[in-house]
Amino acid sequence: MEILIERDYDAVCERASAVVREAVKKKPSLVLGLATGKTPVGLYERLRKSTTSFKAVRFFNLDELYGVGPEHEESFNHFLRVNLLDHLKVPEKNVKLLRGDVKDLDKAAEDYEKAIKKAGGIDLQILGVGNNGHIAFNEPGSSLGSRTRPKTLTDETLAQYRKPGKEPVSNFALTMGCGTIMDARRLLMIVSGEGKSAVVREFIEGPVTAEIPASVLQFHPSALVILDEAAASKLKRRDYYKWVASNKWRAGQK
Ligand code: PGA
């Protein structure tokens, strides 16, 4: 796992946007996995404003709330359209998002895995981490080898998404599994804020455990985690990660 520590949220988004743009430049037909949540908003803002062409990029997404159609304001499809896809002028055939308004969840999950395979696998998967260590909607206890499937959300996750004074739109989701995520050729996780510092410490420097699904990233051959100072504040080897990054830069690798 490569750890980059940036000054603040804006610098995290700037760096992550450079990683994505570089990947698209290298492979215009990149298969890009998108994430939903507060954290990627600044990254998507930068991608929408960039001059990079996303016309040939193929898009998948990590997860979607069950029972919620793509037009629903709280659906992850809606979030991704509004924050990114509507602005990139990508042909609709290149957008394959998990939908929540499906009748047969198991079939939808199976079809999704097949679609990823047909696209040649995900080249770059954007990720966030939940306060409880989830990646996508793989809640604590999820099998680290799991595939796309329906999942019941934890109270902590529901609290994270709950709008003040409103009931959550769904207690269930369809989500890529940990195994599906681990099959991506590269992972790009972005994390910001003091509130995430404890879980960051656990998944980067703690044991690999299904209790903290994000810890499975320790097994990935090409996972880049970009943190701001606040999110990195509890890391034991924080200075070392910075030292590694500055030495790479000196060696002309970055
Ligand atoms: P957040 O969500 O970006 O809104 O913090 C991340 C996640 O729960 O995976």
Side-chain angles (χ1 to χ4, degrees):
M1 208 185 317
E2 185 181 354
I3 315 292
L4 283 180
I5 302 172
E6 300 288 349
R7 190 181 59 255
D8 55 18
Y9 175 68
D10 280 343
V12 168
C13 294
E14 200 60 47
R15 179 66 83 122
S17 145
V19 171
V20 175
R21 286 184 282 113
E22 217 166 277
V24 174
K25 249 173 233 161
K26 243 189 207 155
K27 182 179 177 184
S29 63
L30 191 84
V31 180
L32 181 61
L34 300 173
T36 304
K38 287 192 196 86
T39 318
V41 169
L43 162 62
Y44 295 156
E45 190 187 330
R46 282 162 177 80
L47 295 181
R48 329 191 269 268
K49 288 182 182 159
S50 82
T51 54
T52 307
S53 169
F54 287 82
K55 267 189 226 149
V57 171
R58 277 103 25 100
F59 296 90
F60 287 86
N61 67 332
L62 283 174
D63 45 14
E64 179 56 284
L65 297 169
Y66 174 59
V68 178
E71 311 299 333
H72 193 290
E73 272 198 359
E74 287 181 52
S75 76
F76 289 9
N77 274 249
H78 185 261
F79 170 94
L80 292 171
R81 298 274 176 192
V82 169
N83 282 281
L84 186 67
L85 296 167
D86 285 352
H87 307 265
L88 299 184
K89 298 182 186 79
V90 288
E92 206 41 44
K93 67 174 174 48
N94 289 1
V95 182
K96 299 244 162 28
L97 305 182
L98 269 172
R99 292 175 66 128
D101 58 347
V102 288
K103 284 208 177 84
D104 187 339
L105 282 171
D106 293 329
K107 181 165 185 315
E110 208 182 299
D111 289 350
Y112 198 63
E113 290 276 339
K114 279 187 195 150
I116 293 173
K117 224 182 214 160
K118 200 171 159 209
I122 291 173
D123 292 307
L124 179 64
Q125 177 63 57
I126 299 166
L127 288 171
V129 63
N131 295 331
N132 64 1
H134 73 209
I135 42 170
F137 274 135
N138 295 285
E139 299 285 35
S142 292
S143 158
L144 298 182
S146 52
R147 310 303 307 184
T148 304
R149 68 207 183 294
K151 193 77 197 161
T152 304
L153 304 179
T154 60
D155 284 344
E156 284 155 301
T157 296
L158 291 170
Q160 197 178 326
Y161 284 96
R162 182 170 290 132
K163 295 248 159 65
K166 273 182 123 184
E167 278 307 301
V169 284
S170 182
N171 295 334
F172 307 97
L174 256 179
T175 181
M176 274 190 201
C178 293
T180 320
I181 292 168
M182 288 292 283
D183 283 350
R185 290 180 190 92
R186 282 172 81 196
L187 303 179
L188 169 63
M189 179 184 275
I190 51 175
V191 195
S192 166
E194 162 75 26
K196 296 268 174 79
S197 59
V199 80
V200 161
R201 161 95 171 90
E202 283 190 273
F203 88 80
I204 294 178
E205 295 180 336
V208 174
T209 166
E211 280 306 297
I212 307 285
S215 66
V216 75
L217 264 63
Q218 293 180 32
F219 280 130
H220 199 282
S222 183
L224 171 63
V225 181
I226 310 180
L227 308 162
D228 61 12
E229 288 282 0
S233 59
K234 291 194 173 66
L235 285 172
K236 211 168 52 184
R237 288 191 299 279
R238 194 168 46 138
D239 292 342
Y240 175 67
Y241 306 132
K242 288 188 178 180
W243 172 236
V244 171
S246 67
N247 276 289
K248 263 196 156 181
W249 174 76
R250 259 177 244 167
Q253 289 181 34
K254 281 269 154 192

